[in-house]
């Protein structure tokens, strides 16, 4: 298979002309995830922006077999695919279930928890754009404090986002990682690694979304970088309970050069009604999590 300087598979699994928005962070992340997983992969996904990107049957720009399922059943459908493949002795095929934060943090949590508790042999990916974006930016439990959405239109969201990574870690799964489309090599490497591991693997993608977050489409990569550089979306992996920072977050942890959260928040229209108390609360929340991660990285 052809590769480039960074040893990234040069083959494309998404053809030009998807229906995702201009500057969609999900398109970038998905492109690199599929390059890492390659041909012997089956994808299962619920209604979402990704479902729109996949298109309407029988036309699709995606070159990987895919199953569309209902919202609550993404991980359940993956469990069925895994059982079927095992019965056919096809351990060479990877099953990837992938859903948005609405389809994971809220609606898909029950089936995902069940599959993870059973140690189902699959990769589950949550792409977290912090809202129900496909239906016009409704609040989810992943939406951050102080964000405007169409269901929190005046007073902004009053709660911090749910720490879903902690919930997944409590399932004692084989592999857990976070990644960002703004750091494609780090993302690619994590999918390559996840493919080789057996059991339940969970990857959390932090996905900038121009219409949902209200910033210009050209700034998607910048927004993803700021999320990492402020410590809002740190890059790490957890294997056998061992926490390890990766990529940009690793060098930040070593040098102690984290940016204040305001650098990230002020660039997004969704935070235009955030008040000063929410800003301080957000900074304290991020500081607390970062300290916890630093302590774990030193264990
Ligand atoms: C049971 C059910 N409820 C609601 C919908 C309508 N719906 C389709 S996509 C969507 C938003 C999904 O949000 P998320 O999972 O975060 O993915 P994103 O749209 O952000 O990609 C909703 C509410 C549906 N298809 N099925
Ligand atoms: S709404 Fe956001 S996540 Fe959905 S396709 Fe558009 S840019 Fe991508």
């Amino acid at each position: 298979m052809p590769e480039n300087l960074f040893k990234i598979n040069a083959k494309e699994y998404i053809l030009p002309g998807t229906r995702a928005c201009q500057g969609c962070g999900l398109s970038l992340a998905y492109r690199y995830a599929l390059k890492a997983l390659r041909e012997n992969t089956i994808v299962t996904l619920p209604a979402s922006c990704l479902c729109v990107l996949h298109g309407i049957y029988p036309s699709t720009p995606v070159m990987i077999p895919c199953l569309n399922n209902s919202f609550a059943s993404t991980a359940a459908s993956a469990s069925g695919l895994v059982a079927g493949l095992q019965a056919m002795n096809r351990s060479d095929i990877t099953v990837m279930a992938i859903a948005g934060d609405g389809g994971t943090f809220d609606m898909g949590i029950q089936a995902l928890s069940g599959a993870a508790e059973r140690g189902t042999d699959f990769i589950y990916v949550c792409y977290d754009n912090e809202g129900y974006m496909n239906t016009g930016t409704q609040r989810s439990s992943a939406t951050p404090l102080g964000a405007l959405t169409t269901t929190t239109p005046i007073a902004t969201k009053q709660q911090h986002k749910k720490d879903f990574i902690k919930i997944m870690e409590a399932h004692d799964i084989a592999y857990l990682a976070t990644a960002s489309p703004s750091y494609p090599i780090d993302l690619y490497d994590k999918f390559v690694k996840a493919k080789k591991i057996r059991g339940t693997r969970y990857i959390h993608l932090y996905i900038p979304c121009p219409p949902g977050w209200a910033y210009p489409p050209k700034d998607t990569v910048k927004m993803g970088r700021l999320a990492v550089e402020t410590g809002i979306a740190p890059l790490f992996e957890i294997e056998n309970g061992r926490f390890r920072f990766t990529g940009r977050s690793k060098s930040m942890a070593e040098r102690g050069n984290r940016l204040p959260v305001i650098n990230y928040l002020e660039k997004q229209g969704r935070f235009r009604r955030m008040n000063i108390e929410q800003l301080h609360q957000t900074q304290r929340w991020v500081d607390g999590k970062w300290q916890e991660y630093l302590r774990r990285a030193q264990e």
Side-chain angles (χ1 to χ4, degrees):
M1 196 61 66
E3 284 175 346
N4 49 34
L5 189 60
F6 300 107
K7 304 235 178 304
I8 287 183
N9 177 8
K11 189 162 174 192
E12 298 295 342
Y13 299 89
I14 308 175
L15 302 176
T18 79
R19 296 194 301 160
C21 311
Q22 196 182 23
C24 173
L26 169 62
S27 311
L28 295 175
Y30 195 49
R31 176 175 173 227
Y32 283 96
L34 294 185
K35 279 171 174 279
L37 296 177
R38 303 184 183 235
E39 283 78 4
N40 52 348
T41 302
I42 299 178
V43 174
T44 176
L45 72 152
S48 56
C49 289
L50 185 60
C51 181
V52 172
L53 182 153
H54 266 257
I56 300 169
Y57 181 84
S59 310
T60 179
V62 181
M63 307 296 282
I64 296 281
C66 142
L67 178 69
N68 267 52
N69 51 261
S70 62
F71 251 126
S73 56
T74 307
S77 74
S79 299
L81 288 169
V82 169
L85 290 167
Q86 274 167 358
M88 292 163 68
N89 243 341
R90 293 301 306 268
S91 57
D92 57 313
I93 297 178
T94 304
V95 174
M96 173 168 72
I98 175 164
D101 48 285
T104 304
F105 285 51
D106 299 340
M107 288 181 276
I109 187 170
Q110 179 193 8
L112 173 56
S113 177
E117 187 271 331
R118 293 189 297 274
T120 303
D121 187 16
F122 78 136
I123 301 175
Y124 188 98
V125 179
C126 171
Y127 68 89
D128 180 9
N129 52 21
E130 302 194 315
Y132 291 78
M133 296 313 187
N134 181 42
T135 38
T137 317
Q138 289 82 28
R139 164 211 197 278
S140 80
S141 58
T143 304
L145 177 82
L148 287 171
T149 68
T150 49
T151 43
T152 51
I154 295 158
T156 74
K157 190 182 169 200
Q158 299 294 303
Q159 301 80 17
H160 288 296
K161 74 186 283 163
K162 188 191 277 182
D163 192 341
F164 202 77
I165 293 163
K166 239 184 200 164
I167 294 174
M168 288 314 293
E169 195 183 358
H171 288 76
D172 234 345
I173 54 178
Y175 181 71
L176 193 153
T178 61
S180 159
S182 300
Y183 298 90
I185 298 165
D186 178 81
L187 184 153
Y188 182 85
D189 287 346
K190 284 168 176 165
F191 275 88
V192 168
K193 185 170 189 177
K195 187 167 173 97
K196 292 185 194 144
I197 297 171
R198 300 253 77 115
T200 303
R201 295 141 276 167
Y202 175 80
I203 300 184
H204 196 97
L205 299 176
Y206 195 72
I207 299 294
C209 165
W213 296 8
Y215 68 81
K218 69 174 176 53
D219 289 342
T220 284
V221 171
K222 189 201 279 177
M223 226 49 81
R225 283 193 189 143
L226 281 171
V228 170
E229 288 175 347
T230 52
I232 283 179
L235 302 173
F236 59 80
E237 54 186 11
I238 303 173
E239 259 181 298
N240 304 318
R242 234 196 111 238
F243 178 97
R244 204 173 73 80
F245 278 121
T246 66
R248 183 80 185 99
S249 296
K250 185 162 183 268
S251 60
M252 283 166 56
E254 284 160 3
R255 292 183 201 143
N257 55 349
R258 191 162 43 100
L259 296 175
V261 294
I262 181 89
N263 291 27
Y264 167 82
L265 303 172
E266 70 184 359
K267 296 193 174 54
Q268 298 171 38
R270 65 176 170 156
F271 294 115
R272 66 184 175 275
R273 296 235 175 90
M274 181 181 247
N275 61 41
I276 194 79
E277 180 46 31
Q278 288 175 326
L279 171 64
H280 292 316
Q281 266 179 273
T282 301
Q283 187 65 65
R284 282 197 297 273
W285 192 76
V286 171
D287 290 350
K289 298 239 174 255
W290 183 258
Q291 289 308 324
E292 188 185 326
Y293 291 143
L294 269 183
R295 183 184 50 70
R296 289 191 63 184
Q298 284 154 6
E299 274 171 5

